[in-house]
Amino acid sequence: MSAWLKLSLGLAVGAVGVFLVLPILVVIPLSFNPEPYFSFSRNMLLLRPEGWSLRWYREVAESAQWRLALRNSVTIAIIVTPVATALGTAAALGLRHLDGSARTLAAAMLGAPLVIPVIIVATGTYLFFAPLGLTQSLTGIVIVHVVLAAPFVVITVSSTLTTFDAQLSRAAATLGASPLRAFARVTLPLIAPGIISGALFAFVTSFDEAVVTLFLASYDQRTIPLQMWSGVRDQLSPAVLVVASLLVLLVATIMVAANVIQTLRRRGG
């Protein structure tokens, strides 16, 4: 590949990255707007102190609705994360022992929630859960979130297993270790970075899910994404920008942590 082609490709990728990220980054400074508008004021553009305020941050911190939404989101995500991580890890280990068409079919079924439009998942889930009494219930929301989050764990753990040496497990069995002990002492420590990364992705997936939750949640079970939707639809309050900024920072932090974990795993391997 010529130098000019590499430079052109780099510039194109950089331009796409800026196009995708810049609108998100604009949200952060707008959250400090003291006025109830979704635009930059003259004082903000001139960087005057009176043009910047923590007004909307205080409003979010003092709002009972936002605190309820945060509590619901954290509660659901904390329940979903370990369940999705355990199921996704087990599925990844099971896929490793399948061959040929069986493995392809199983992988396609496990990854279906990633490719099926979420509105279809939400509609089908509602129609299936309604006769069972699982709508407007925490149980129904948790079940669907687990289904949506587990595939991310499967992907990250499967990626880790590609570099795992199965001979180590056989060596442990030869030395008298039971399958459970061999898994706990040999396999689990080696694939732990992939499991941790998958757990982080599962947490973000559950915390950020809005469409399915909109179909299943009652008013008292509204989460942060639903509260944001309500703020945009009913009130058009800049408080939404505050929460959006915090979510951007949360997701960015988790993504960086996952990348650091994967980098340490590769260096350790």
Side-chain angles (χ1 to χ4, degrees):
M1 183 180 295
S2 66
W4 283 108
L5 185 57
K6 289 182 180 180
L7 179 61
S8 300
L9 182 60
L11 291 175
V13 172
V16 172
V18 171
F19 178 78
L20 294 176
V21 174
L22 191 58
I24 299 176
L25 296 181
V26 169
V27 170
I28 297 177
L30 279 177
S31 66
F32 295 96
N33 190 347
E35 303 298 331
Y37 306 119
F38 284 70
S39 60
F40 289 100
S41 65
R42 178 179 175 82
N43 288 334
M44 292 185 71
L45 295 175
L46 295 176
L47 299 180
R48 293 173 179 171
E50 62 270 20
W52 300 80
S53 172
L54 295 175
R55 170 187 176 182
W56 304 111
Y57 284 85
R58 288 192 295 268
E59 180 174 312
V60 169
E62 296 170 357
S63 171
Q65 290 182 332
W66 283 111
R67 290 200 298 269
L68 174 63
L70 176 62
R71 183 166 61 249
N72 288 336
S73 290
V74 172
T75 300
I76 294 171
I78 288 177
I79 296 173
V80 168
T81 300
V83 177
T85 302
L87 293 177
T89 301
L93 292 170
L95 283 175
R96 190 166 179 267
H97 296 286
L98 296 178
D99 295 316
S101 59
R103 181 173 184 174
T104 302
L105 178 61
M109 293 179 62
L110 290 172
L114 298 178
V115 296
I116 297 177
V118 67
I119 186 63
I120 296 178
V121 176
T123 305
T125 300
Y126 179 82
L127 294 176
F128 181 75
F129 280 5
L132 302 177
L134 292 176
T135 56
Q136 298 188 353
S137 72
L138 183 64
T139 302
I141 297 173
V142 168
I143 291 174
V144 181
H145 281 208
V146 168
V147 172
L148 296 175
F152 291 96
V153 182
V154 175
I155 292 173
T156 55
V157 176
S158 296
S159 176
T160 304
L161 287 172
T162 56
T163 59
F164 176 73
D165 188 359
Q167 296 294 335
L168 297 175
S169 298
R170 298 191 184 97
T174 302
L175 294 174
S178 64
L180 183 60
R181 184 178 180 84
F183 174 78
R185 299 295 296 273
V186 178
T187 306
L188 185 59
L190 292 176
I191 66 174
I195 295 176
I196 296 173
S197 298
L200 293 176
F201 282 114
F203 181 88
V204 171
T205 300
S206 175
F207 196 88
D208 196 44
E209 170 53 42
V211 179
V212 174
T213 310
L214 180 64
F215 276 70
L216 299 179
S218 64
Y219 179 83
D220 292 335
Q221 294 166 344
R222 63 170 53 194
T223 58
I224 287 291
L226 293 190
Q227 185 64 31
M228 292 178 66
W229 165 250
S230 176
V232 172
R233 183 187 60 182
D234 301 332
Q235 305 170 16
L236 202 61
S237 169
V240 175
L241 300 177
V242 172
V243 180
S245 300
L246 296 176
L247 288 179
V248 168
L249 295 177
L250 172 65
V251 173
T253 301
I254 291 178
M255 293 294 291
V256 170
N259 287 331
V260 169
I261 292 172
Q262 291 293 343
T263 300
L264 293 176
R265 180 188 67 83
R266 288 193 294 268
R267 290 180 178 177

